[in-house]
């Protein structure tokens, strides 16, 4: 595959890098990377050892001492150069994303575009690491706050966005003056190696120190656990399931570190009687089956008013029957494969539980076999009728399973159903009624971190802060003021007078 060579991917690859240097360790075992597209082995990676991790930490510490003193706009210039190289590598890197993860080629290219976009955002942010000046109650005093580089940022990313989520964290933290160490998912390590090779060209061209961008490939139980317990990492960004996030949060909190958690979603779209179905149906279908339902923002539930229920049900059935399933490298295909056999098992286990709990499967529930489906990872998207109270509906299944839920009465009832899950990531309402839309966006409306009107639950832009509430973890990444998470805040008071007045009117004489 020519795109692998273009990205510097070898038949056998090393699993740890401090920038331009790669580990020679092979003692931790070798990981074969199997494509969910057709079951072929793309390449293999030698997993990193504990010594490799320690070497990365030493390099990151050393680089931080230098990088934090580089003016922020100059750090932004390095990120701008990264953006430019990503533009030249968009096609091969996007193709690798599709081959390794299984998302459509369009989505693979879109993920690289998201990396480019966040780089551009970070370049602008490098000139806006601003603090505020406040009025002091004491005469001839100035009171203000400012932000300083924090240290080494640990990034633990998931398979479904193998490069974009890393870029949210790494590019913003880089302009903030931090160094980073990245542990990608063991299911998608090749895209991480490709990105590290891209970074190496910038490091060499600018004579930058080793350790600004570090890569470590290993299991969560070994390398991941080292990162969680390491006091050298003041901040960890963790993307994954809620159980993974809960363990990360308690472990890091025990050493008084910080976490940015991006965990599970159980996202819903509400359709009121005022919904425009010409907008709603395509949005629902894309949000539910895009990336084969393997986005944290994928739509899992559609909450439909009883006046529209039968019409919506029939419209969705027609749409589902028209879906084309197959290799994601074919741009006419709507649905590609699940990531691996474990995901296929989760798909069938969820459907068995649904029927046991009283739900009805309207379409889907089949593993596709034969020519073009050799990997055994292709399943039919499922449309099912369910109740929000079902235990399986309360869970997040990372698969293209969409539950139809009926509601009656006012939109308040639909919002209550939507909020009645432990997750709180993304949410949407389709309505042309201004009062319904504003209620949904109000303090008594959606309890999610993302709330949309007349668009689906997936496809967030990088300009806004991304993250959710409740068991989604409460973290925020990407745009808005998410950059503040990667810095340490300092309040400063300057006395430029010749007296020593105390705050709160206290007097102290000696």
């Amino acid at each position: 595959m020519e795109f692998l060579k273009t990205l510097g991917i070898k038949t056998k690859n090393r699993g740890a890098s401090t920038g331009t240097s790669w580990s020679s360790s092979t003692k931790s075992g070798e990981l074969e990377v199997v494509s969910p597209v057709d079951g072929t082995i793309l390449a293999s990676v030698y997993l990193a050892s504990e010594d490799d991790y320690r070497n990365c930490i030493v390099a990151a510490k050393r680089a931080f001492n230098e990088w934090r003193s580089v003016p922020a706009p100059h750090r932004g210039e390095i990120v701008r150069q990264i953006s430019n190289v990503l533009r030249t590598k968009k096609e091969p890197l996007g193709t690798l994303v599709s081959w390794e993860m299984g998302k459509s080629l369009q989505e693979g290219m879109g993920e690289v575009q998201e990396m480019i976009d966040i780089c551009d955002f970070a370049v602008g942010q490098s000139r806006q690491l601003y603090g505020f000046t406040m009025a002091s109650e004491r005469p001839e005093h100035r009171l203000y706050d400012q932000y300083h580089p924090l240290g080494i940022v640990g990034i633990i990313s998931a398979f479904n966005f193998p490069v974009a989520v890393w870029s949210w964290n790494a590019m913003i933290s880089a302009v903030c003056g931090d160094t980073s160490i990245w542990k990608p998912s063991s299911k998608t390590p090749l895209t991480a190696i490709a990105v590290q090779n891209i970074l190496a060209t910038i490091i060499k061209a600018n004579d930058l120190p080793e350790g600004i961008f570090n890569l470590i490939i290993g299991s969560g139980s070994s390398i991941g656990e080292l990162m969680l317990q390491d006091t050298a990492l003041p901040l960890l960004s963790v993307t994954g399931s809620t159980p993974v996030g809960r363990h990360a949060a308690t472990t890091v909190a025990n050493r008084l570190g910080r976490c940015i958690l991006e965990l599970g979603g159980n996202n819903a779209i509400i359709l009121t009687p005022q919904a425009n179905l010409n907008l709603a149906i395509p949005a629902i279908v894309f949000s539910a089956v895009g990336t084969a339902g393997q986005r944290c923002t994928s739509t899992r539930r559609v909450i439909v008013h009883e006046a529209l229920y039968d019409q919506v049900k029939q419209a969705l059935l027609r749409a589902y029957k028209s879906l084309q399933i197959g290799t994601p490298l074919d741009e006419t295909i709507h649905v590609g494969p699940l990531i691996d056999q474990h995901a296929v098992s989760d798909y069938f286990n969820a459907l068995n539980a649904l029927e046991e709990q009283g739900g009805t499967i309207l379409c889907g529930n089949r593993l596709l076999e034969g020519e073009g489906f050799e990997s055994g990872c292709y399943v039919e998207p499922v449309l099912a009728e369910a109740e929000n109270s079902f235990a399986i509906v309360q869970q997040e299944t990372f698969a293209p399973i969409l539950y139809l839920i009926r509601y009656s009465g006012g939109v308040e009832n639909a919002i209550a159903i939507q909020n009645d899950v432990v997750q709180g990531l993304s949410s949407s309402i389709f309505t042309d009624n201004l009062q319904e839309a504003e209620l949904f966006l109000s303090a008594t409306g959606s309890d999610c971190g993302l709330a949309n009107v007349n668009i689906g639950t997936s496809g967030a832009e990088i300009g806004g802060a991304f993250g959710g509430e409740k068991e989604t973890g409460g973290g925020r990444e990407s745009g808005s003021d998410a950059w503040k998470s990667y810095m340490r805040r300092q309040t400063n008071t300057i006395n430029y007078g010749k007296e020593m007045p105390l705050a709160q009117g206290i007097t102290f004489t000696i």
Side-chain angles (χ1 to χ4, degrees):
M1 297 179 178
E2 190 62 31
F3 66 90
L4 294 176
K5 295 180 182 178
T6 301
L7 295 168
I9 303 298
K10 303 171 184 176
T11 303
K12 295 178 181 290
N13 301 271
R14 302 299 178 177
S17 171
T18 57
T20 63
S21 301
W22 290 84
S23 163
S24 60
S25 173
T26 60
K27 65 182 181 181
S28 296
E30 187 175 1
L31 173 68
E32 289 186 335
V33 182
V34 178
S35 172
V37 174
D38 60 4
T40 60
I41 297 173
L42 296 174
S44 66
V45 181
Y46 289 110
L47 297 175
S49 66
E50 184 171 340
D51 287 341
D52 293 329
Y53 173 75
R54 297 300 176 199
N55 289 337
C56 286
I57 290 296
V58 169
K61 285 181 177 179
R62 186 182 299 119
F64 174 67
N65 290 336
E66 181 176 339
W67 185 242
R68 64 183 174 182
S69 297
V70 174
H74 293 184
R75 299 192 295 252
E77 165 59 19
I78 298 302
V79 172
R80 187 191 67 81
Q81 293 179 34
I82 294 171
S83 173
N84 287 344
V85 178
L86 285 171
R87 284 175 165 87
T88 68
K89 301 290 187 181
K90 179 176 178 178
E91 184 173 349
L93 185 55
T95 301
L96 176 55
V97 169
S98 294
W99 271 101
E100 188 174 34
M101 188 269 150
K103 63 175 57 176
S104 74
L105 189 58
Q106 289 189 61
E107 290 185 76
M109 298 298 174
E111 183 161 350
V112 181
Q113 185 61 50
E114 192 165 343
M115 299 174 75
I116 295 167
D117 292 344
I118 198 66
C119 284
D120 292 348
F121 182 92
V123 172
Q125 190 68 71
S126 71
R127 293 181 181 272
Q128 299 183 79
L129 303 177
Y130 52 81
F132 294 99
T133 298
M134 291 74 71
S136 174
E137 67 181 74
R138 290 170 283 187
E140 298 184 309
H141 280 60
R142 184 159 68 91
L143 178 65
Y144 69 99
D145 61 25
Q146 61 179 333
Y147 292 83
H148 293 301
L150 181 62
I152 308 172
V153 175
I155 304 169
I156 299 177
S157 61
F159 74 86
N160 59 329
F161 281 87
V163 289
V165 172
W166 165 82
S167 69
W168 294 357
N169 290 275
M171 296 300 98
I172 298 295
S173 63
V175 299
C176 289
D178 302 325
T179 57
S180 61
I181 181 167
W182 177 22
K183 192 197 90 63
S185 168
S186 297
K187 297 179 181 182
T188 52
L190 299 183
T191 45
I193 292 172
V195 169
Q196 193 72 7
N197 288 336
I198 289 170
L199 294 172
T201 64
I202 304 301
I203 292 168
K204 289 178 182 177
N206 292 273
D207 196 26
L208 296 174
E210 292 285 312
I212 296 176
F213 301 106
N214 300 272
L215 175 65
I216 192 89
I217 298 171
S219 70
S221 60
S222 58
I223 299 301
E225 200 63 30
L226 286 173
M227 294 176 70
L228 296 181
Q229 296 181 13
D230 195 346
T231 56
L233 302 179
L235 172 67
L236 273 99
S237 170
V238 180
T239 304
S241 67
T242 296
V244 166
R246 183 176 285 112
H247 172 66
T250 54
T251 304
V252 175
N254 191 53
R255 60 175 177 83
L256 299 181
R258 305 186 201 171
C259 271
I260 298 173
L261 299 175
E262 299 291 354
L263 311 177
N266 195 348
N267 315 298
I269 294 178
I270 294 172
L271 301 185
T272 80
Q274 304 298 317
N276 181 337
L277 297 187
N278 291 329
L279 296 178
I281 298 302
I284 292 168
V285 176
F286 172 75
S287 294
V289 309
T291 325
Q294 296 172 113
R295 293 186 178 208
C296 52
T297 55
S298 292
T299 301
R300 313 290 177 197
R301 300 172 292 146
V302 178
I303 302 166
V304 188
H305 192 272
E306 59 185 359
L308 296 177
Y309 187 85
D310 290 337
Q311 182 183 358
V312 169
K313 177 172 138 178
Q314 294 305 315
L316 288 174
L317 281 170
R318 287 192 297 271
Y320 270 55
K321 288 176 182 177
S322 71
L323 292 175
Q324 300 297 310
I325 307 169
T327 172
L329 303 173
D330 180 347
E331 293 193 20
T332 67
I333 294 298
H334 300 108
V335 186
L338 294 174
I339 185 64
D340 56 23
Q341 297 295 325
H342 294 293
V344 173
S345 296
D346 289 344
Y347 165 89
F348 283 112
N349 289 339
L351 295 178
N352 290 337
L354 173 68
E355 291 188 313
E356 289 173 0
Q357 293 166 25
T360 302
I361 297 173
L362 300 175
C363 67
N365 194 15
R366 187 165 69 97
L367 176 68
L368 301 180
E369 300 174 296
E371 185 177 354
F373 305 115
E374 291 85 358
S375 68
C377 295
Y378 293 85
V379 298
E380 287 184 333
V382 169
L383 185 64
E385 294 181 300
E387 297 293 335
N388 200 66
S389 59
F390 290 174
I392 191 60
V393 177
Q394 292 285 312
Q395 302 170 18
E396 179 190 43
T397 303
F398 234 49
I401 301 173
L402 181 64
Y403 303 115
L404 277 177
I405 299 169
R406 186 193 306 259
Y407 85 94
S408 59
V411 70
E412 299 88 347
N413 296 337
I415 293 171
I417 293 170
Q418 178 209 275
N419 292 347
D420 190 23
V421 292
V422 295
Q423 308 87 355
L425 180 52
S426 187
S427 59
S428 297
I429 188 172
F430 278 83
T431 178
D432 286 341
N433 183 300
L434 179 63
Q435 291 175 320
E436 289 180 336
E438 289 293 341
L439 178 63
F440 179 76
L441 299 176
S442 74
T444 58
S446 171
D447 63 2
C448 296
L450 307 173
N452 305 316
V453 176
N454 292 336
I455 64 169
T457 58
S458 66
E461 298 181 27
I462 60 96
F466 180 90
E469 300 298 326
K470 301 189 292 187
E471 289 194 3
T472 299
R476 292 298 185 275
E477 294 171 335
S478 193
S480 187
D481 65 348
W483 62 271
K484 293 180 179 180
S485 298
Y486 305 93
M487 306 198 81
R488 60 180 179 88
R489 184 171 183 164
Q490 186 179 79
T491 300
N492 306 114
T493 307
I494 298 173
N495 178 3
Y496 58 89
K498 299 185 184 303
E499 303 294 333
M500 183 58 68
L502 300 177
Q504 293 85 47
I506 296 173
T507 59
F508 181 78
T509 58
I510 55 173

